[in-house]
Amino acid sequence: MNSINVSNDTTAPIKFRTFHVGIIFSGMAFAQLTYRESLRDIESCLNAQRSKLYSSRFSWNITRSTLSYANNTRDWRIYADFASVLIEIAKDLYRGEQFAVDISETVYALDSTTIDLCLSVFPWARFRKKKAAIKLHTLLDLRGNIPSILAISDGKMHDVNILDILVAEPGALYLVDRGYIDFARLHR
């Protein structure tokens, strides 16, 4: 991560600018990889390992309020750009990787998952009468299991509609389930 340049938001208050987006990303990556469920959980785990955190660029106590403020004020596009850089690095690493089947073409798997949300917290994501949800569409490059496209849509969006957004790569093979079968769209 040290060799990747991630821009820091300069619109944040001066005291907050020292909490660089790379540090926020490290904290959120730690939370994801260790299955942390709340800001309190993240704070407890990080502060329990104070002696080991300094080498991870965390040089002060991590608090819920700091993490919350950081997540609320940083533009999500910073992390989207960072993810794009990481995906390109991973693609380069796995470019020469052998596939389980002797195929020289690129093979993709396309699928989606519905992520349930709390309707009172996310009223814009109304899915059903008393439920909120979004849908995450993923196009996975099977040579290295690297996501090529991650798209978030309304939970009500049918799987087949993502084909209108997807630009097919000539010569590539796409593995899809029945939810994506629409011959008129697939013919385009």
Side-chain angles (χ1 to χ4, degrees):
M1 192 165 93
N2 294 336
S3 63
I4 300 170
N5 184 16
V6 180
S7 65
N8 202 21
D9 181 13
T10 57
T11 61
I14 301 244
K15 183 178 179 186
F16 184 70
R17 285 187 202 158
T18 58
F19 200 49
H20 191 273
V21 291
I23 297 170
I24 301 167
F25 176 80
S26 297
M28 293 297 108
F30 166 81
Q32 181 68 33
L33 294 172
T34 59
Y35 305 104
R36 300 297 118 207
E37 295 180 352
S38 66
L39 290 176
R40 184 182 309 271
D41 196 7
I42 297 168
E43 174 190 35
S44 298
C45 287
L46 287 175
N47 287 328
Q49 299 294 327
R50 292 289 319 138
S51 61
K52 297 175 184 168
L53 288 180
Y54 189 78
S55 62
S56 300
R57 298 173 28 182
F58 291 98
S59 58
W60 58 86
N61 281 340
I62 305 301
T63 62
R64 291 186 307 278
S65 61
T66 304
L67 288 172
S68 176
Y69 183 77
N71 286 331
N72 286 329
T73 58
R74 298 291 191 215
D75 189 3
W76 64 270
R77 288 175 282 252
I78 293 171
Y79 300 107
D81 293 343
F82 185 55
S84 297
V85 169
L86 292 177
I87 287 170
E88 289 306 314
I89 290 171
K91 280 183 180 179
D92 288 342
L93 290 173
Y94 286 98
R95 195 169 311 279
E97 189 79 13
Q98 291 297 317
F99 197 58
V101 182
D102 190 24
I103 297 176
S104 61
E105 293 85 7
T106 305
V107 181
Y108 294 106
L110 177 63
D111 205 1
S112 69
T113 186
T114 302
I115 301 170
D116 294 328
L117 301 172
C118 178
L119 185 59
S120 63
V121 178
F122 303 100
W124 51 265
R126 182 173 294 279
F127 179 55
R128 295 198 176 108
K129 190 173 184 179
K130 296 183 177 183
K131 198 173 183 182
I134 58 171
K135 193 170 272 195
L136 175 65
H137 306 271
T138 306
L139 182 65
L140 195 68
D141 184 347
L142 295 181
R143 194 175 311 273
N145 292 332
I146 302 165
S148 295
I149 295 175
L150 295 169
I152 298 174
S153 70
D154 183 0
K156 296 177 187 175
M157 181 176 170
H158 194 277
D159 290 349
V160 77
N161 293 331
I162 198 69
L163 295 176
D164 295 334
I165 300 167
L166 183 67
V167 178
E169 180 182 317
L173 302 173
Y174 292 86
L175 304 175
V176 297
D177 61 23
R178 283 185 167 180
Y180 295 95
I181 302 300
D182 181 354
F183 293 110
R185 281 188 171 111
L186 291 173
H187 187 268
R188 282 189 260 162

